[in-house]
Amino acid sequence: MKNLPIGISTFEIIRQYDYVYIDKTHFIYELTRLPGRYFLSRPRRFGKSLLIDTFKDLFEGKKELFQNLFIYPKWDWNKKYPVLKIDFSDDHSSSSDILKSRIQKNLQNLVQEHDLNLTLNNTLTNNFHDIIHATYKKYQQKVVILVDEYDKGILDCITDTPTATANRELLKGFYSVIKANDALVQFAFLTGVSKFSKTSIFSRLNNLNDITLNPSFANICSYTHHDLISHFSDYLHNVDLQELQRWYNGYCCDIHKPKVYNPFNILQFFSNNNQFKNYWFDTGTPSFLIKLILQNEYYLPNSEQLITDESLLSTFDTEKIPIISLLWQTGYLTIENSFSDETGIIQYQLNYPNFEVQYSLNKFFVNFLSEHPINNFVIFRKMLLQADFDSLQNLFKNLFANISFSLSQHIKNYEGFYASVIYAFLVGLSLHCKTEDHTSFGRIDLTLFTHNKIFLFEFKMKHHHQSPLQQIKSKKYYEKYLNLNKEIYLIGIIFDLDTQNILTFEWEKL
């Protein structure tokens, strides 16, 4: 039984100590057989650091590490290249001074690693420029430049716009050195979570080939289900594969390629005796994301059926952060489908990648808002399944009453917020919900399914001309479910912006 490479992103260690390794060198060969400059965006803990380290060992000619891999007979092992690897993956840059210090430390490490006769007493950009030239001169060979988590210095302070912008400008100038020394560079590869707009950080590094949505490299950092069956068979005894897929599979960068798992989830699942938990989600608390959802007045139920084009997926900047871009790039949404519109532009339909993300994000959203975090989700789930609507009404009212005062000042006029809380709470109960449920006569705001019941929710604000319950009945939203032989409940809720709570809660069994 091979070892699980938990927390290990060093290619040499994985290969020398009999850890499980999924051969990705066919992707690497396609990228490296000719000189190139590339950029790849993937969510955190997706294997980007291991990919960067594999590039490093390949260009340094560590032939023995690649035996029995796809690239081994195809690579010219007589050629070796000096590698300049810059790693921000373990840094936290909450200020520009800290970021400058981290960059300077990376540059000093390069001077020591290559034993360069160089003193770094200039600006960061000039120091980087000098290192490239000194390395080229020493080895009489073009250099390879690898940058892991190029954007971390910005994302670490993304809610502090002045600092994030200052760090962006600092990195923009630093990375421009790569383009300025293009003649001395054999290969360059940058990874990160976000893709900043070309008018910002990449404006001076505009020769990068962005392979984030390139179908040929859709699965360069991930595990497919076939990979699991092929390489982790010793760990799959008595594992419900369908449930494993529901919890962790689903990430997609091209609908024509297999959906994939985040490697971190799978390794943690096996190392924790096959327990289904929120492994990936719990490694990064998305408080900043919830704040931006509220600031942007984002309607959370829309997460299940968003449609956008590639330009929005790739647009990101410190002064303007489209929430859809952020959700996609950070891994809370993924591509579910794609199609060409009437103009020929590719449109992407987004959704949660899997149950772990959907359940965890929505539960976190509810608890983030509350001054008294909710722990008894099991009790509340039982309350709903038993159709105990009196208790449920009190629960919802208490839920809104417990929203932090400081947060409520920002959401007072955000009408979609109230429906978002109900939706997030129900999804946080691990129940199956469908938003904007289409019928022949209109759209149901929210449909909730259990094994023997269906709940149809309609939401309205105070002073609306028609009651939500009356709308459900007049438009016969329930008709599409009559043949399922399940109990059907109609629920109408009216919210009051003045009290920031539920004004009326009506229900009726069909």
Side-chain angles (χ1 to χ4, degrees):
M1 179 182 291
K2 286 185 174 291
N3 300 310
L4 297 173
I6 299 172
I8 300 175
S9 56
T10 304
F11 181 70
E12 183 173 0
I13 293 177
I14 288 176
R15 295 294 289 166
Q16 286 185 340
Y17 292 92
D18 200 31
Y19 286 100
V20 176
Y21 176 72
I22 310 298
D23 188 358
K24 300 289 184 178
T25 60
H26 54 294
F27 297 118
I28 292 173
Y29 176 71
E30 287 302 314
L31 293 170
T32 56
R33 61 191 180 89
L34 295 173
R37 292 91 177 92
Y38 297 98
F39 169 76
L40 175 71
S41 170
R42 287 291 186 270
R44 56 190 169 82
R45 297 188 176 274
F46 234 80
K48 301 186 296 293
S49 296
L50 175 58
L51 178 65
I52 286 287
D53 201 63
T54 308
F55 279 126
K56 184 177 188 296
D57 288 342
L58 179 68
F59 279 107
E60 289 179 343
K62 296 181 180 179
K63 181 178 180 180
E64 69 283 357
L65 300 179
F66 293 86
Q67 289 186 18
N68 302 318
L69 298 182
F70 174 89
I71 204 169
Y72 183 81
K74 299 179 179 296
W75 190 254
D76 183 357
W77 298 105
N78 294 318
K79 266 192 175 181
K80 297 182 180 181
Y81 297 88
V83 176
L84 304 178
K85 178 185 173 184
I86 298 171
D87 186 359
F88 294 114
S89 61
D90 292 328
D91 296 340
H92 184 81
S93 303
S94 56
S95 71
S96 296
D97 287 339
I98 293 176
L99 178 58
K100 290 176 184 177
S101 175
R102 302 308 298 179
I103 294 175
Q104 189 71 354
K105 181 180 178 181
N106 268 281
L107 296 180
Q108 190 62 53
N109 289 341
L110 293 178
V111 171
Q112 295 173 359
E113 179 182 350
H114 294 282
D115 194 21
L116 301 177
N117 184 21
L118 196 62
T119 302
L120 302 182
N121 55 9
N122 212 322
T123 65
L124 294 176
T125 53
N126 286 341
N127 285 340
F128 192 20
H129 171 90
D130 292 345
I131 287 174
I132 292 174
H133 279 258
T135 305
Y136 175 79
K137 183 177 180 180
K138 176 177 180 177
Y139 293 98
Q140 289 297 296
Q141 183 64 274
K142 290 184 177 183
V143 303
V144 170
I145 298 176
L146 306 174
V147 183
D148 194 13
E149 304 289 7
Y150 88 102
D151 54 346
K152 197 167 186 303
I154 307 172
L155 294 182
D156 283 344
C157 51
I158 196 63
T159 56
D160 178 2
T161 302
T163 302
T165 303
N167 285 359
R168 181 199 67 191
E169 292 303 302
L170 175 62
L171 290 171
K172 180 198 296 187
F174 180 71
Y175 293 134
S176 68
V177 177
I178 301 174
K179 173 77 178 290
N181 290 279
D182 188 65
L184 304 184
V185 178
Q186 171 68 19
F187 182 84
F189 198 93
L190 285 75
T191 73
V193 170
S194 62
K195 169 66 184 300
F196 283 83
S197 62
K198 291 183 179 180
T199 58
S200 59
I201 198 167
F202 286 135
S203 61
R204 300 180 193 174
L205 189 55
N206 54 13
N207 61 335
L208 285 179
N209 181 359
D210 181 5
I211 62 171
T212 300
L213 290 174
N214 187 320
S216 298
F217 304 102
N219 296 342
I220 191 172
C221 287
S222 49
Y223 295 160
T224 65
H225 193 67
H226 180 264
D227 290 334
L228 251 67
I229 302 301
S230 303
H231 293 80
F232 293 94
S233 57
D234 290 335
Y235 292 92
L236 289 173
H237 300 301
N238 301 318
V239 172
D240 184 336
L241 295 180
Q242 186 173 353
E243 187 70 357
L244 188 68
Q245 288 180 296
R246 185 177 80 93
W247 265 82
Y248 304 123
N249 197 14
Y251 294 95
C252 176
C253 289
D254 183 84
I255 63 168
H256 302 295
K257 303 294 182 181
K259 293 184 177 182
V260 298
Y261 299 88
N262 181 324
F264 181 82
N265 267 336
I266 293 302
L267 297 177
Q268 290 294 325
F269 175 77
F270 290 141
S271 69
N272 283 274
N273 297 317
N274 301 343
Q275 294 185 57
F276 290 100
K277 293 183 178 180
N278 306 321
Y279 298 112
W280 175 79
F281 187 90
D282 285 348
T283 61
T285 305
S287 300
F288 79 96
L289 182 62
I290 303 302
K291 292 177 183 177
L292 290 171
I293 286 174
L294 297 175
Q295 291 174 11
N296 286 269
E297 297 188 357
Y298 176 71
Y299 186 52
L300 199 58
N302 280 346
S303 300
E304 296 190 20
Q305 51 182 10
L306 280 170
I307 294 179
T308 184
D309 60 25
E310 184 174 349
S311 64
L312 186 56
L313 294 185
S314 301
T315 301
F316 194 104
D317 216 332
T318 55
E319 296 93 346
K320 184 179 180 180
I321 307 175
I323 193 65
I324 297 175
S325 300
L326 188 63
L327 288 166
W328 145 253
Q329 294 181 15
T330 51
Y332 296 99
L333 292 178
T334 195
I335 295 172
E336 184 171 84
N337 199 3
S338 64
F339 56 91
S340 296
D341 62 17
E342 61 276 7
T343 66
I345 297 175
I346 297 178
Q347 301 288 323
Y348 295 94
Q349 181 180 342
L350 307 181
N351 204 340
Y352 298 107
N354 49 47
F355 175 74
E356 182 208 21
V357 173
Q358 181 186 33
Y359 164 72
S360 303
L361 179 62
N362 283 282
K363 186 174 180 180
F364 185 86
F365 178 80
V366 173
N367 277 334
F368 178 85
L369 298 173
S370 179
E371 291 183 331
H372 306 288
I374 299 169
N375 296 314
N376 297 321
F377 274 81
V378 174
I379 295 176
F380 301 138
R381 190 173 189 271
K382 183 178 180 181
M383 191 183 297
L384 183 66
L385 296 180
Q386 292 178 346
D388 182 359
F389 293 108
D390 290 335
S391 297
L392 192 64
Q393 177 181 186
N394 291 331
L395 164 65
F396 284 152
K397 287 185 175 181
N398 287 334
L399 182 62
F400 285 105
N402 278 321
I403 291 176
S404 168
F405 177 79
S406 60
L407 288 173
S408 67
Q409 302 309 297
H410 298 291
I411 60 179
K412 189 170 183 179
N413 297 315
Y414 168 21
E415 296 184 5
F417 165 77
Y418 300 91
S420 293
V421 171
I422 299 293
Y423 162 81
F425 180 81
L426 295 175
V427 174
L429 297 178
S430 71
L431 295 168
H432 175 211
C433 295
K434 184 176 182 181
T435 63
E436 298 292 325
D437 190 3
H438 288 264
T439 73
S440 301
F441 307 101
R443 292 181 297 182
I444 309 168
D445 283 345
L446 180 66
T447 305
L448 174 66
F449 304 89
T450 71
H451 71 286
N452 63 350
K453 296 180 179 68
I454 296 176
F455 304 84
L456 307 181
F457 287 83
E458 186 68 25
F459 306 118
K460 298 290 184 189
M461 302 308 296
K462 183 181 177 182
H463 304 312
H464 199 275
H465 69 280
Q466 186 182 31
S467 77
L469 196 62
Q470 184 59 38
Q471 179 172 321
I472 296 175
K473 292 191 288 186
S474 65
K475 294 196 173 185
K476 300 180 180 180
Y477 288 157
Y478 50 82
E479 283 193 344
K480 67 180 292 185
Y481 295 114
L482 290 177
N483 63 343
L484 296 183
N485 296 319
K486 291 187 176 186
E487 295 178 6
I488 299 177
Y489 294 87
L490 317 180
I491 303 172
I493 301 177
I494 297 179
F495 301 107
D496 185 353
L497 286 176
D498 294 326
T499 62
Q500 299 179 38
N501 211 315
I502 292 174
L503 179 65
T504 64
F505 184 103
E506 301 178 301
W507 67 276
E508 184 177 312
K509 183 177 180 182
L510 192 66

